[in-house]
Amino acid sequence: MAHSLKFEFDGNLCFGQKEMVQTSERVKCVDLHPSKPWILAALYSGNVCIWNYHSQKIEKSFKVTESPVRSAKFLVRENWIVVGADDGHIHVYDYDTMEMIKDIEAHTDYIRSLIIHPTLPYMLSSSDDKLIKLWDWEKDWICSKVFEGHQHYVMQAAFDPNDLNTFASASLDGTIKIWNMDSGSLDFTLDAHSKGINCIEYFMADDKPFLISGSDDYTAKVWDYETKCCVRKLEGHTHNVTAASVHPQLPIIITCSEDGTVRVWDKTSYRLDNTLAYGLERVWTVAYMKDSSKVVFGCDKGTIVVKISGSNGSDSADV
C-alpha cells in the first residue's frame, strides 16, 4: 500500500489516506456503487473494469469496443452498467452476469457523458454531435427527446436536484445551457467561459442553488443560479480543468486538471486549502458517494482511492 498523503481542513478534516492505487490505461470516468465496494472505471483503451476497493482486486474487466470509452455509470435500479463510447453507441450490461442487455446506436460522434435521472427511468447522453438525448429504458431505450442548441461538443450534463425536470449542459462553445426536460425547451444560456467548458454540477450553499463549471481557460467558476452571476473564479491550475465537484457532505470543492493536480477549496470562503499531485499524470475525473469517506480519481496512469478522515484518524463518514 502506498504511503499516506494528508492535509488539514478547518473543522479537523484530513484528506486523506491513499488507500489504493490501481494502475491501468487512461481512466476517463469513474463511478462508485452505492452498496458494493466497487469502482467502475471507463478506459480510453475501450475496456471497462470494476475494481473492489476492499480486496484491492479487479472484480470484472471486459472489452466494450475498439474505441475509447469516456463514460460509464452504475444503473443500480436495474443492476446494469451503461457505457458511452467514441463509436457513438450506448452499451448496456447486466453487472452480475456481464450479459449485454442493449446496444444503442445513439449518436453520430463521440459520447462524452451519461447521467442517470435520480427517480425516473431516464438517462441523458451528451455528444460531440452537439446534441443531448433523453433515453427511456422502460420503453426499450427509446430516444424520447433531443436537445439541440450548442454550437460545439457537449461535454457534460447535470440534473437540478431541486427541480428534476431541469438540467444544465456544458459545451466547448463556452456556454452553460439550462433546459426543461419535459418540454424540451431551452430556459436560458450563460456565456460562462472564454474557452470550452468540460464539466458542470449543481450544489447548494446557505440554502441557495449554485452551479460550478470547469474550463479549458484553466479556471473553475461558481455561479449563483438565481441571479445567473459568477460569484467566484477559482484560479491556480496551469492546464485545462477537467472536473469540478462539490462534496455532498463535507465543505469542500474539488477540481481536477490536465496539469496533473487535484485542488481542494473551502466551499464557503473559496480559499485554496491544498494542491495534491499523485504522479499519475493528467487527472480526468472524480467520484464519491454520499455517506462515504471514499473519494476516487481517474488519471492517465490509473485510479486512486483516497479516504477523508478526522484528524484523530476516525472516519468522517460511514463507509
Side-chain angles (χ1 to χ4, degrees), residues 279-319:
L280 297 176
E281 298 188 2
R282 293 173 294 183
V283 187
W284 295 104
T285 181
V286 59
Y288 29 65
M289 288 184 299
K290 189 177 180 181
D291 302 321
S292 171
S293 56
K294 307 288 184 183
V295 181
V296 182
F297 300 103
C299 312
D300 270 345
K301 294 291 184 72
T303 304
I304 182 166
V305 180
V306 175
K307 186 175 183 179
I308 303 172
S309 62
S311 58
N312 62 359
S314 63
D315 289 355
S316 60
D318 293 331
V319 177

Side-chain angles (χ1 to χ4, degrees), residues 106-123:
H107 290 271
T108 59
D109 211 330
Y110 300 172
I111 296 174
R112 293 286 176 169
S113 75
L114 303 172
I115 59 164
I116 310 297
H117 193 280
T119 58
L120 298 173
Y122 297 157
M123 184 179 75

Side-chain angles (χ1 to χ4, degrees), residues 145 147 165-167 178-187:
K145 282 195 178 62
F147 302 87
N165 188 43
T166 299
F167 69 91
I178 308 300
W179 307 84
N180 182 288
M181 186 177 68
D182 282 348
S183 69
S185 62
L186 176 66
D187 287 346

Side-chain angles (χ1 to χ4, degrees), residues 11-220:
N12 298 318
L13 291 180
C14 300
F15 191 103
Q17 193 173 42
K18 193 192 292 186
E19 291 219 324
M20 184 186 84
V21 177
Q22 177 68 55
T23 58
S24 69
E25 306 96 338
R26 186 186 311 168
V27 179
K28 295 297 292 182
C29 180
V30 290
D31 193 27
L32 286 114
H33 195 283
S35 58
K36 299 177 185 290
W38 287 357
I39 301 165
L40 175 64
L43 305 185
Y44 195 80
S45 62
N47 292 339
V48 167
C49 293
I50 296 176
W51 289 312
N52 185 313
Y53 56 74
H54 283 171
S55 67
Q56 301 198 9
K57 293 180 180 178
I58 294 176
E59 197 91 13
K60 304 169 193 286
S61 179
F62 61 98
K63 188 81 168 180
V64 174
T65 173
E66 295 302 320
S67 304
V69 175
R70 297 181 189 270
S71 188
K73 300 288 182 181
F74 286 115
L75 207 171
V76 178
R77 280 169 272 169
E78 304 290 343
N79 287 7
W80 292 344
I81 294 167
V82 289
V83 179
D86 283 8
D87 61 6
H89 287 231
I90 295 169
H91 308 263
V92 185
Y93 297 88
D94 182 305
Y95 61 59
D96 291 321
T97 66
M98 304 316 297
E99 174 192 0
M100 180 180 281
I101 304 297
K102 194 77 173 176
D103 184 352
I104 307 157
E105 193 171 340
H107 290 271
T108 59
D109 211 330
Y110 300 172
I111 296 174
R112 293 286 176 169
S113 75
L114 303 172
I115 59 164
I116 310 297
H117 193 280
T119 58
L120 298 173
Y122 297 157
M123 184 179 75
L124 287 173
S125 58
S126 305
S127 172
D128 284 8
D129 63 12
K130 308 176 189 176
L131 302 177
I132 305 156
K133 294 187 177 183
L134 180 69
W135 306 90
D136 185 335
W137 67 77
E138 286 190 352
K139 296 181 178 177
D140 197 30
W141 289 96
I142 187 173
C143 178
S144 56
K145 282 195 178 62
V146 178
F147 302 87
E148 189 171 1
H150 280 296
Q151 301 303 307
H152 208 315
Y153 305 160
V154 186
M155 301 299 285
Q156 200 171 73
F159 284 109
D160 181 348
N162 296 312
D163 177 7
L164 294 176
N165 188 43
T166 299
F167 69 91
S169 59
S171 168
L172 292 191
D173 62 15
T175 70
I176 298 166
K177 292 184 182 291
I178 308 300
W179 307 84
N180 182 288
M181 186 177 68
D182 282 348
S183 69
S185 62
L186 176 66
D187 287 346
F188 64 88
T189 299
L190 292 173
D191 291 317
H193 288 266
S194 60
K195 292 188 177 179
I197 306 172
N198 297 309
C199 52
I200 189 73
E201 184 177 283
Y202 286 89
F203 71 98
M204 296 292 291
D206 297 324
D207 296 321
K208 288 183 59 177
F210 292 86
L211 287 165
I212 186 167
S213 55
S215 170
D216 288 349
D217 64 12
Y218 303 177
T219 73

